[in-house]
């Protein structure tokens, strides 16, 4: 079962209610009806569809159970697709989970090296070497990186300076050139 099939199935109210009842332990038709509040004519097609699709399986005469294997397979497929999508959106594994395209998803909090890598990427992608920028221009250029995140462009500008990616002097900002494995401002 694909994640899409699972989602489509559970978008139907009757299917979702029957599946939930079975997942919570209702295993007979009477228990499913009592738990869901559905009538037999409403529940019967939902039960049949869930059986055909493999989300629930017979568990002895007149008893049903959730097919944990089918759910596990759908979850694994969804995880693989998420990973593939993340790789497509950010080919650099060091930036994955932090940068998506030209948006800063989040900043690493506990890993200084990764934080510097992410900030260095933002700086090198945004600013040209050997060019000075005024404060307003820097903030405006950083604004797209902050769309939909909890980091604002002014804070990002400060982080870039504090972490040595940008040099600030008399209101002018300049991209810091790398010096070997570390950096000096």
């Amino acid at each position: 079962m694909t994640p899409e099939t699972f989602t489509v199935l559970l978008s139907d109210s009757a299917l979702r209610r029957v599946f939930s009842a079975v997942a919570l332990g209702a295993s007979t038709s009477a228990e499913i009806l009592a738990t869901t509040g559905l009538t037999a004519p409403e529940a019967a097609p939902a039960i049949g569809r869930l059986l055909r699709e493999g989300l629930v399986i017979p568990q002895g005469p007149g008893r049903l159970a959730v097919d944990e294997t089918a759910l596990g397979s759908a979850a694994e497929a969804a995880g693989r697709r998420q990973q593939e999508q993340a790789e497509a959106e950010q080919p650099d594994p060091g930036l994955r989970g932090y940068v998506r395209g030209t948006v800063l998803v989040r900043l690493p909090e506990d890993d200084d090296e990764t934080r510097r890598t992410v900030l260095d990427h933002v700086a090198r992608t945004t600013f040209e070497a050997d060019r000075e920028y005024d404060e307003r221009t820097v903030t405006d250029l950083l604004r797209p990186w902050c769309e939909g995140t909890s980091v604002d462009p002014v804070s990002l500008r400060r982080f870039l300076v504090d972490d040595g990616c940008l040099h600030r002097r008399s209101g002018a900002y300049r991209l810091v050139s790398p010096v070997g494995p570390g950096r000096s401002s």
Side-chain angles (χ1 to χ4, degrees):
M1 166 171 312
T2 66
E4 292 82 9
T5 301
F6 180 77
T7 303
V8 169
L9 286 172
L10 294 189
S11 68
D12 178 278
S13 176
L15 289 170
R16 185 174 54 252
R17 289 164 75 180
V18 169
F19 177 79
S20 297
V22 174
L24 292 171
S27 63
T28 66
S29 295
E31 291 171 342
I32 292 169
L33 294 175
T35 303
T36 63
L38 296 172
T39 64
E42 294 170 319
I47 293 169
R49 178 97 189 264
L50 290 170
L51 281 164
R52 281 191 306 282
E53 296 291 342
L55 268 178
V56 297
I57 54 175
Q59 200 71 29
R63 301 183 80 72
L64 299 173
V66 169
D67 185 348
E68 299 293 337
T69 304
L71 284 180
S73 296
E76 285 177 23
R80 281 192 303 275
R81 288 189 182 159
Q82 282 181 332
Q83 181 65 29
E84 290 166 3
Q85 183 179 356
E87 289 170 4
E89 290 174 348
Q90 182 47 258
D92 184 340
L95 299 174
R96 205 169 292 141
Y98 302 107
V99 174
R100 185 178 302 128
T102 57
V103 174
L104 180 63
V105 177
R106 66 186 180 93
L107 273 174
E109 296 177 20
D110 299 331
D111 184 349
D112 290 342
E113 185 176 331
T114 303
R115 179 184 169 94
R116 278 191 288 281
T117 299
V118 170
L119 289 172
D120 187 61
H121 173 77
V122 170
R124 298 206 179 292
T125 303
T126 308
F127 303 103
E128 297 174 23
D130 302 322
R131 180 172 169 206
E132 275 193 357
Y133 299 86
D134 63 58
E135 189 167 272
R136 172 172 274 202
T137 301
V138 171
T139 303
D140 288 344
L141 288 171
L142 293 175
R143 197 171 311 285
W145 286 99
C146 302
E147 290 293 320
T149 69
S150 61
V151 178
D152 63 274
V154 173
S155 297
L156 181 55
R157 185 186 71 221
R158 231 176 275 123
F159 297 149
L160 289 167
V161 171
D162 292 347
D163 280 57
C165 299
L166 289 181
H167 177 72
R168 177 182 59 214
R169 182 181 204 166
S170 301
Y173 293 77
R174 183 180 287 276
L175 183 64
V176 174
S177 299
V179 197
R183 203 188 334 265
S184 175
S185 45

